[in-house]
C-alpha cells in the first residue's frame, strides 16, 4: 500500500524541478508537501499521481512501478485533485461528483452517495457548479475524488482559496479519509496547517528533499530559516501551534 | 433515450414529412400516387431530405464533440481545418474532371473531397502525435497547439482554394467552383446519400466512443488524465470522428458552416451540459436544423434557389455574435 518515489527526477520545460528524490509515503496518514514557491511541490505531486513522466528514477505503488498500470487502473488507485480547477461546463453538482466514477465505468451510486454524505452535500445535488460558494465548491471537488474510492488522495493546495473555518472543515474530511485507511498527500503553503494537522511532512527546497519526518522535526525553526530564508518561531501547544515571523 | 434526444427526435419526425411536401411544387398528402408525384418524392425530395438529415447529424455531433474537446462553447468542427481541406480536394476535382474518362469523372468530386479530408486528418494526426504527449504539460499545450495546427491547415487550404479559383481553366469552371463552395443540397440523388450516410454514421459512432473522455475534460486536462483518459486515444477518436462526419458532408454538399457551432447551444439547456449528453441530441438537432433550412430555401420565392450554405451562414453569423455578447456578460 506504499506510494514511493525512488531517485525521482522530473524535468519541465528544460528545467529540473525535482531532483533525485527518494521518499516512501504510508497510507492511513496525512502527508504534507511544503516548500517555498518554485520548490517543485506541484511537480512532485503530479509525478506521484503518475501524471508527469519522470526524467529519472520512478514512482512505485505497492512495489510495482506506476508506469506498469493502465491509465484506468491508475485512476482507480490514485485520485488527483488539482489546484482550483476551472470547470468547463456549468453542470449540476451531482454530475460533477459522478465524474469521479469514470475510471470504474460504472454508475457507482453507493460511492457517490457516500461521498456526498461525507461532505454534507446532499442538499445541493441539482445546484449548478457556477452557483456554489467557494467553500461548497472545494467540498464538491473533494467529493468528486472520494466518489472514485481511490486508495490514495493527492491534492494540490486544496485549502488555498478557503477561509479559516472551511480550511478546518476540509482538513477534518481529509483526516477522516486517512483514518479510514486511505493515503492522503497534500501540497500546503501554510506551515501552521502542516504543523498542526499533518502526520508526516516533506520539505522541498529547489527540487530536493530538504527534510522528511514528523512535523515537529521537519518544520523545526532552524530549517524554516534555512529553506524559507526567514526567522520564525513556533508558539503554543503541540497541535495548536502558530508561526510568528520576525523582520 | 434522454429528454433532449426525445425532443429533437420528435421534431425530426414532424419536419421530415413536411420537408417532403415543400418545394417549388407543393405536394398535398392526398396527391400521393403513381406518376410524377411519386417520381418527385422518390428521386428528388426523399434523397435530398435524407441527405439533409445525414449532413446535419454529422455536423451537429461534430460540433458537440469539438466544443467538449476544446472546452469552449464557441468551437466549431470547421476549426480542425478538415472542412477547408475537403473543399480544396473538391475544387481540385473541377480541374481534374475534364482529364478523366467520363466514368471516373462523376466520382472525382466526392472522392477527391474525401481525399482532401483524409489528408487534413493525416496532417493533424502527425502534428498531434508530437504535441498530445502524455505528460502534464503536453496535454494542455497539445490542445492549444492542435487548434493552431487546424487553423494553419485551414488557412493553407483556403489560400490554395483561392489560387485554384483565380487560375480556373474557364469561366464555367470558375462559377462551378464558387457555387459549390457555398454548400447546397440542390439536385442531390441517392448516390450522394450512399456516399455520405455510412461515413457519417461511422463518424458519429467514433465520436460517441470519445464521449466519456470528453466529460472528464470538464475538470481540466490533468484531472481528466488522472481519471484514466488517454490524450492520444482521445485525439485520434476526435480526428477520425470529425474527419468522417465533416469530410463526408463537404464531399457531397460543399461547405455548410455554423451548424456545428449553433446546434449544441440549442441542445445544452435540455441536458445536464456534459459533452456526452450532447452528442446524440446534437446529431438529431443538427438534422432538424439543416432539414428545416433546406426546406425553407426551397420554397423562398427567389429566381434562383438561395444556397443552403449561404442561408445557414446568414442565420449562424448573427447567432455567433449573440453568443459572444452572452459570453461577455458571463452567461455562457
Amino acid at each position: 500500500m506504499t506510494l514511493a518515489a525512488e531517485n525521482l527526477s522530473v524535468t519541465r520545460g528544460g528545467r529540473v524541478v525535482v531532483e533525485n528524490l527518494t521518499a516512501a509515503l504510508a497510507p492511513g496518514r496525512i502527508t504534507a508537501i511544503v516548500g517555498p514557491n518554485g520548490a517543485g511541490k506541484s511537480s512532485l505531486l503530479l509525478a506521484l499521481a503518475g501524471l508527469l513522466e519522470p526524467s529519472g528514477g520512478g514512482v512505485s505503488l505497492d512495489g510495482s512501478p506506476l508506469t506498469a498500470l493502465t491509465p484506468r487502473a491508475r485512476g482507480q488507485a490514485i485520485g488527483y485533485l488539482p489546484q482550483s480547477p476551472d470547470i468547463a461546463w456549468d453542470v449540476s453538482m451531482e454530475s460533477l461528483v459522478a465524474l469521479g466514477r469514470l475510471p470504474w465505468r460504472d454508475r457507482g451510486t453507493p460511492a457517490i452517495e457516500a461521498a456526498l454524505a461525507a461532505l454534507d452535500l446532499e442538499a445541493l445535488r441539482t445546484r449548478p457548479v457556477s452557483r456554489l460558494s467557494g467553500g461548497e465548491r472545494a467540498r464538491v471537488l473533494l467529493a468528486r475524488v472520494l466518489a472514485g474510492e481511490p486508495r490514495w488522495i493527492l491534492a494540490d493546495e486544496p485549502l488555498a482559496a478557503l477561509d479559516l473555518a472551511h480550511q478546518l472543515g476540509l482538513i477534518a474530511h481529509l483526516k477522516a479519509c486517512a483514518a479510514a485507511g486511505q493515503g492522503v498527500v497534500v501540497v500546503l503553503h501554510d506551515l501552521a496547517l502542516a504543523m498542526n494537522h499533518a502526520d508526516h511532512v516533506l520539505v522541498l527546497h529547489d527540487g530536493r528533499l530538504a527534510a522528511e519526518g514528523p512535523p515537529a522535526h521537519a518544520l523545526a525553526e532552524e530549517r524554516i530559516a534555512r529553506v524559507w530564508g526567514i526567522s520564525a518561531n513556533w508558539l503554543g501547544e503541540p497541535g495548536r501551534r502558530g508561526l510568528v515571523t520576525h523582520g | 433515450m434522454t429528454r433532449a434526444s426525445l425532443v429533437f427526435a420528435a421534431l425530426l419526425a414532424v419536419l421530415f414529412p413536411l420537408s417532403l411536401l415543400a418545394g417549388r411544387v407543393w405536394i398535398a398528402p392526398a396527391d400521393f400516387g403513381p406518376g410524377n408525384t411519386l417520381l418527385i418524392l422518390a428521386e428528388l425530395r426523399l434523397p435530398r431530405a435524407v441527405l439533409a438529415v445525414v449532413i446535419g447529424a454529422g455536423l451537429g455531433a461534430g460540433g458537440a464533440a469539438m466544443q467538449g474537446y476544446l472546452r469552449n462553447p464557441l468551437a466549431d468542427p470547421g476549426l480542425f481545418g478538415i472542412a477547408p481541406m475537403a473543399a480544396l480536394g473538391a475544387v481540385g476535382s473541377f480541374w481534374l474532371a475534364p482529364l478523366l474518362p467520363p466514368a471516373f469523372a462523376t466520382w472525382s468530386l466526392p472522392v477527391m473531397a474525401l481525399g482532401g479530408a483524409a489528408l487534413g486528418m493525416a496532417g493533424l494526426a502527425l502534428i498531434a502525435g508530437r504535441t498530445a504527449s502524455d505528460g502534464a504539460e503536453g496535454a494542455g499545450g497539445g490542445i492549444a497547439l492542435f487548434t493552431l495546427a487546424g487553423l494553419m491547415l485551414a488557412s493553407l487550404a483556403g489560400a490554395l482554394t483561392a489560387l485554384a479559383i483565380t487560375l480556373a481553366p474557364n469561366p464555367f469552371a470558375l462559377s462551378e467552383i464558387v457555387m459549390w463552395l457555398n454548400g447546397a443540397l440542390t439536385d442531390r440523388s441517392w448516390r450522394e446519400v450512399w456516399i455520405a450516410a455510412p461515413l457519417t454514421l461511422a463518424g458519429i459512432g467514433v465520436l460517441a466512443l470519445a464521449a466519456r473522455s470528453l466529460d472528464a475534460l470538464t475538470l481540466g486536462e490533468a484531472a481528466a488524465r488522472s481519471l484514466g483518459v488517454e490524450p492520444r486515444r482521445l485525439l485520434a477518436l476526435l480526428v477520425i470522428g470529425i474527419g468522417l462526419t465533416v469530410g463526408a458532408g463537404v464531399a457531397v454538399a460543399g461547405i455548410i458552416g455554423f451548424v456545428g457551432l449553433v446546434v449544441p447551444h440549442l441542445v445544452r439547456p435540455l441536458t445536464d451540459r456534459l459533452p456526452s449528453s450532447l452528442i446524440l441530441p446534437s446529431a438529431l438537432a443538427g438534422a432538424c436544423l439543416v432539414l428545416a433550412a433546406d426546406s425553407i430555401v426551397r420554397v423562398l420565392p427567389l429566381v434562383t434557389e438561395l444556397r443552403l450554405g449561404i442561408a445557414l451562414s446568414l442565420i449562424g453569423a448573427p447567432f455567433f455574435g449573440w453568443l459572444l455578447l452572452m459570453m461577455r456578460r458571463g452567461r455562457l
Side-chain angles (χ1 to χ4, degrees):
Chain A
M1 286 295 280
T2 316
L3 184 64
E6 195 164 339
N7 301 320
L8 177 71
S9 293
V10 177
T11 307
R12 289 177 92 171
R15 202 169 71 87
V16 180
V17 288
V18 176
E19 198 173 350
N20 207 18
L21 186 143
T22 299
L25 310 179
R29 63 185 190 183
I30 293 187
T31 301
I33 301 176
V34 298
N37 287 336
K41 304 183 291 292
S42 295
S43 300
L44 173 61
L45 196 74
L46 279 169
L48 289 171
L51 301 177
L52 202 55
E53 213 172 301
S55 52
V59 177
S60 64
L61 183 64
D62 302 342
S64 46
L66 216 49
T67 46
L69 295 179
T70 63
R72 223 183 116 195
R74 193 190 62 212
Q76 291 173 352
I78 302 176
Y80 171 72
L81 181 58
Q83 190 181 351
S84 55
D86 151 43
I87 301 167
W89 308 108
D90 196 12
V91 299
S92 72
M93 184 278 269
E94 195 175 18
S95 294
L96 192 84
V97 172
L99 291 178
R101 293 307 297 175
L102 282 176
W104 299 94
R105 295 186 192 159
D106 61 10
R107 299 182 77 84
T109 316
I112 293 168
E113 289 304 320
L116 292 178
L119 290 157
D120 196 18
L121 289 167
E122 287 145 310
L124 303 177
R125 283 170 198 279
T126 56
R127 184 168 297 183
V129 288
S130 65
R131 287 178 43 217
L132 296 171
S133 70
E136 288 163 352
R137 191 182 143 99
R139 267 151 59 208
V140 165
L141 290 168
L142 180 61
R144 191 275 296 169
V145 175
L146 298 189
E149 299 176 303
R151 285 185 288 146
W152 285 86
I153 297 168
L154 273 53
D156 196 352
E157 303 219 24
L159 311 176
L162 299 181
D163 63 38
L164 211 54
H166 284 110
Q167 284 188 343
L168 295 176
L170 209 65
I171 285 178
H173 292 306
L174 292 172
K175 281 184 169 170
C177 294
Q182 286 171 300
V184 179
V185 184
V186 283
V187 169
L188 289 180
H189 248 304
D190 188 327
L191 298 184
L193 286 173
M195 180 62 131
N196 293 328
H197 300 287
D199 302 302
H200 191 78
V201 176
L202 305 185
V203 180
L204 254 59
H205 189 208
D206 287 338
R208 292 166 184 268
L209 191 62
E212 181 190 5
H217 161 76
L219 293 173
E221 289 162 359
E222 59 275 14
R223 186 161 292 113
I224 292 176
R226 203 163 55 242
V227 172
W228 278 267
I230 55 165
S231 153
N233 292 108
W234 290 109
L235 298 180
E237 309 284 308
R240 295 173 172 192
R241 300 249 174 149
L243 191 64
V244 180
T245 57
H246 314 283
Chain B
M1 221 180 193
T2 61
R3 185 170 62 127
S5 297
L6 280 176
V7 167
F8 288 106
L11 187 62
L12 190 61
V14 174
L15 283 174
F16 194 85
L18 282 179
S19 94
L20 294 179
L21 306 181
R24 282 289 145 91
V25 180
W26 283 85
I27 299 174
D31 294 345
F32 280 17
N36 281 346
T37 314
L38 196 66
L39 198 67
I40 290 177
L41 278 176
E43 295 303 322
L44 294 174
R45 297 220 177 138
L46 195 57
R48 185 168 173 168
V50 172
L51 204 58
V53 167
V54 165
I55 290 170
L59 291 171
M66 271 301 279
Q67 293 185 3
Y69 184 64
L70 298 182
R71 309 175 76 231
N72 189 327
L74 301 182
D76 181 272
L79 273 183
F80 264 1
I82 287 171
M85 286 297 286
L88 177 66
V91 167
S93 82
F94 287 105
W95 279 76
L96 202 66
L99 311 174
L100 293 173
F104 291 106
T106 54
W107 287 93
S108 68
L109 194 155
V111 168
M112 284 188 69
L114 288 172
L119 206 64
M121 285 156 68
L124 284 171
L126 269 180
I127 298 165
R130 297 188 189 283
T131 57
S133 99
D134 290 339
E137 294 132 310
I143 290 177
L145 280 172
F146 188 67
T147 314
L148 292 173
L151 287 176
M152 183 274 288
L153 273 179
S155 344
L156 183 68
L160 289 172
T161 304
L163 184 70
I165 292 172
T166 53
L167 299 178
N170 55 62
F172 177 70
L174 176 78
S175 106
E176 284 274 285
I177 293 174
V178 172
M179 284 295 274
W180 188 86
L181 281 177
N182 297 309
L185 294 173
T186 322
D187 303 329
R188 299 303 195 272
S189 65
W190 288 109
R191 187 184 76 144
E192 278 81 11
V193 174
W194 295 129
I195 294 172
L199 295 175
T200 304
L201 271 179
I204 295 174
V206 171
L207 293 176
L209 288 179
R212 292 302 277 163
S213 299
L214 294 175
D215 285 353
L217 271 184
T218 301
L219 292 158
E221 290 117 20
R225 287 194 308 119
S226 79
L227 289 168
V229 170
E230 296 167 68
R232 280 173 210 269
R233 176 179 174 272
L234 176 58
L235 190 66
L237 291 176
L238 256 288
V239 171
I240 294 169
I242 301 280
L244 288 172
T245 51
V246 174
V250 176
V252 296
I255 293 201
I256 294 175
F258 286 107
V259 176
L261 170 72
V262 170
V263 158
H265 292 276
L266 305 177
V267 174
R268 216 166 262 133
L270 298 174
T271 69
D272 69 358
R273 296 168 188 272
L274 282 175
S276 66
S277 64
L278 287 180
I279 291 180
L280 179 61
S282 291
L284 292 166
C288 292
L289 179 64
V290 174
L291 187 64
D294 187 53
S295 306
I296 291 169
V297 297
R298 234 159 41 203
V299 297
L300 282 180
L302 297 174
V303 180
T304 54
E305 191 177 295
L306 177 63
R307 306 288 289 179
L308 179 63
I310 298 175
L312 279 165
S313 294
L314 286 176
I315 304 168
F319 186 83
F320 190 69
W322 177 76
L323 286 182
L324 286 176
L325 281 178
M326 294 300 282
M327 199 170 198
R328 214 174 132 196
R329 292 179 194 157
R331 289 194 205 152
L332 212 61

